Amino acid sequence: MALFYPNPRLESVLDRHLEAMAAAEGLSPDGVAAAVAAGTMTVLANPGHGGVRPTLIGQPAAIKVNANIGTSPLLNDAAMEGEKLRICETAGADTVMDLSTAGDLDAIRRGMLAATFLPLGTVPVYAVANRYIAAEADPAGMTEDEILAEIEKQAAQGVDFMTVHCGVTARAVDLSREEERVTGIVSRGGAILARWMRRNGRENPFYARFDDILDIARAHNVVLSLGDGLRPGAGADAGDAAQWEEVIELGRLARRARARGVQVMIEGPGHVPLNLVAAHIQCIKRLTAQAPLYVLGPLTTDCAPGYDHIGAAIGGALAGTFGADFLCYVTPAEHLTLPCADDVRQGIMASRIAAQAAETARGRERAVSRNRDMSRARKALDWEAMAELAIDPALVRERRRQFGHQQECAMCGKFCAVRMQDGL
Ligand code: SF4
């Protein structure tokens, strides 16, 4: 398949997988190829990740769901992370990100790449900063060359997409301080880089060395996820000058990447009140030339710790309706602790519900017909069909099993409205 992208790695991926990817999405191969060439759709598939399932992100492919897992300095349990990775696959996540910040990060990452067919994403600055923090040194001491070496290493290992906080420029950080944000900088990568710039009196190394990062990404077909290091961490901070300064810069960087044959996505907010979600999504898409948009929530209320997966699913459904392409899940553990295995499962289900709701609102045929088929199965009291069509079939079967599989359910029993219509 000849594309105008000067990217032989991407072209070889398309040569091998285009037909299957398009068929899985119900799209035409030519349409997918055109969207990839235009940069409005990306293919997550590093040829170095053996067995990866190539995955399309961007219009008009279906909205995808990502799950973040990984260790932390206070909860570093390899067995639990392995269980979380298995749940990502069985619960229906489309991709997974390893956000580990404790333990042997190379071994963890290589283990995940070997164990999963899901495209794997990382945040390389964590690994560089971790070497300093583990040695009780200031991460502001890391060098540009160390950062590039880490990106190169992870690309060679097979990482499919990487968050790089290239838009956290000195000007944007200054704006975030002038604004007197309620929560300042809440992105770990953004905070590390703001500290680095302040201590070294220099521009963000990811921004300064962007062309070198593009060369690495192009050589391995790594998709760059241009991170939102200045995303709002409070509804009150949504839409401030620092956020938009970063978005505008990410749009410029996305255009530079496309010109070099590198695939990019844009990361989005964050905490955004419900009434502002549509405007945020539409403006970000506009400012980034319709690049695939990967949203972190957005969380529509700041007041629901323990239930943040619900607040994020509400925001994700609205964001997806107005153009977001990729939903990063939020779990019930958000703002409280590292997610456990059940938190991961609940977060994935919540985001998948948001994606299905958004796809339905967009009028996508598969989502609309799935809803219609579910409704018909309900009318027919066909419980197995309902389970098959459900976001979580195992849960449906388990709840039915608890009540002995009568034809009607325990909600109404003999008052079942469906059965009341028998013979009418
Ligand atoms: S018993 Fe009530 S809730 Fe259950 S299937 Fe019948 S009408 Fe629906």
Side-chain angles (χ1 to χ4, degrees):
M1 184 93 215
L3 299 175
F4 61 75
Y5 265 151
N7 184 338
R9 280 285 211 175
L10 173 58
E11 288 184 25
S12 80
V13 168
L14 289 172
D15 281 344
R16 280 180 286 134
H17 301 291
L18 179 60
E19 299 277 343
M21 289 190 299
E25 297 280 355
L27 300 172
S28 76
D30 285 349
V32 170
V36 171
T40 56
M41 185 185 283
T42 59
V43 186
L44 302 182
N46 179 339
H49 181 182
V52 68
R53 179 172 68 194
T55 299
L56 295 170
I57 308 287
Q59 314 276 326
I63 296 169
K64 304 301 189 303
V65 169
N66 174 74
N68 293 335
I69 60 174
T71 61
S72 86
L74 297 182
L75 258 176
N76 179 9
D77 181 338
M80 184 170 82
E81 295 310 319
E83 174 65 8
K84 285 153 72 171
L85 183 58
R86 277 189 292 281
I87 287 173
C88 289
E89 294 178 348
T90 57
D94 297 291
T95 66
V96 63
M97 288 191 80
D98 172 22
L99 303 188
S100 292
T101 53
D104 182 342
L105 300 190
D106 271 319
I108 293 169
R109 189 182 318 111
R110 283 198 305 267
M112 287 189 187
L113 283 164
T116 189
F117 60 86
L118 297 176
L120 186 92
T122 61
V123 186
V125 75
Y126 291 176
V128 185
N130 183 58
R131 290 197 278 275
Y132 285 80
I133 291 170
E136 299 194 355
D138 189 339
M142 62 189 177
T143 68
E144 289 183 357
D145 287 343
E146 281 179 296
I147 292 169
L148 287 172
E150 183 65 33
I151 293 171
E152 175 103 57
K153 178 177 69 181
Q154 294 193 14
Q157 287 172 343
V159 168
D160 301 283
F161 61 108
M162 294 181 191
T163 294
V164 284
H165 300 92
C166 305
V168 185
T169 60
R171 173 175 160 71
V173 172
D174 286 346
L175 285 171
S176 76
R177 294 205 172 92
E178 287 169 19
E179 297 268 348
E180 297 184 358
R181 287 178 156 199
V182 175
T183 55
I185 300 175
V186 298
S187 154
R188 287 189 288 194
I192 291 167
L193 291 168
R195 181 180 181 83
W196 192 95
M197 286 187 275
R198 175 61 63 99
R199 285 289 157 91
N200 294 288
R202 291 166 58 197
E203 186 51 276
N204 175 354
F206 285 85
Y207 179 76
R209 301 289 294 272
F210 189 62
D211 284 336
D212 294 321
I213 295 172
L214 291 180
D215 288 342
I216 297 168
R218 182 174 178 275
H220 297 274
N221 193 40
V222 171
V223 173
L224 296 180
S225 188
L226 303 183
D228 54 344
L230 295 173
R231 66 177 173 270
D237 293 338
D240 70 359
Q243 180 190 341
W244 290 114
E245 172 72 17
E246 182 181 43
V247 171
I248 291 166
E249 191 56 57
L250 295 184
R252 291 191 192 105
L253 294 170
R255 289 180 177 86
R256 275 171 65 185
R258 286 176 181 177
R260 295 280 291 274
V262 174
Q263 302 192 94
V264 292
M265 304 185 288
I266 306 294
E267 294 186 8
H271 287 236
V272 182
L274 195 61
N275 56 309
L276 298 180
V277 170
H280 274 240
I281 298 305
Q282 290 168 327
C283 289
I284 294 170
K285 292 286 284 192
R286 168 78 175 78
L287 290 167
T288 59
Q290 307 300 318
L293 178 56
Y294 178 23
V295 292
L296 311 174
L299 276 158
T300 48
T301 175
D302 304 335
C303 301
Y307 301 93
D308 274 337
H309 58 311
I310 297 173
I314 292 168
L318 200 55
T321 300
F322 287 95
D325 305 284
F326 192 20
L327 306 181
C328 186
Y329 84 169
V330 171
T331 77
E334 185 77 9
H335 298 112
L336 296 174
T337 185
L338 194 73
C340 66
D342 191 57
D343 291 325
V344 168
R345 191 186 62 76
Q346 289 196 52
I348 292 168
M349 294 303 173
S351 286
R352 288 185 58 212
I353 293 166
Q356 167 69 14
E359 290 274 310
T360 304
R362 285 180 176 180
R364 296 277 172 78
E365 177 50 32
R366 285 186 177 189
V368 171
S369 62
R370 183 177 183 174
N371 284 339
R372 193 187 307 117
D373 291 347
M374 176 64 97
S375 300
R376 285 179 176 145
R378 286 196 172 122
K379 180 70 169 66
L381 291 175
D382 184 343
W383 295 98
E384 186 47 35
M386 285 184 242
E388 279 298 311
L389 289 160
I391 300 281
D392 188 350
L395 179 72
V396 173
R397 293 190 179 105
E398 173 57 20
R399 297 303 298 266
R400 284 288 294 161
R401 189 192 61 76
Q402 291 170 0
F403 290 100
H405 300 285
Q406 315 97 310
Q407 193 178 17
E408 65 275 5
C409 76
M411 176 71 189
C412 323
K414 296 300 177 197
F415 286 80
C416 176
V418 176
R419 299 206 66 193
M420 205 63 80
Q421 297 173 72
D422 284 353
L424 294 181

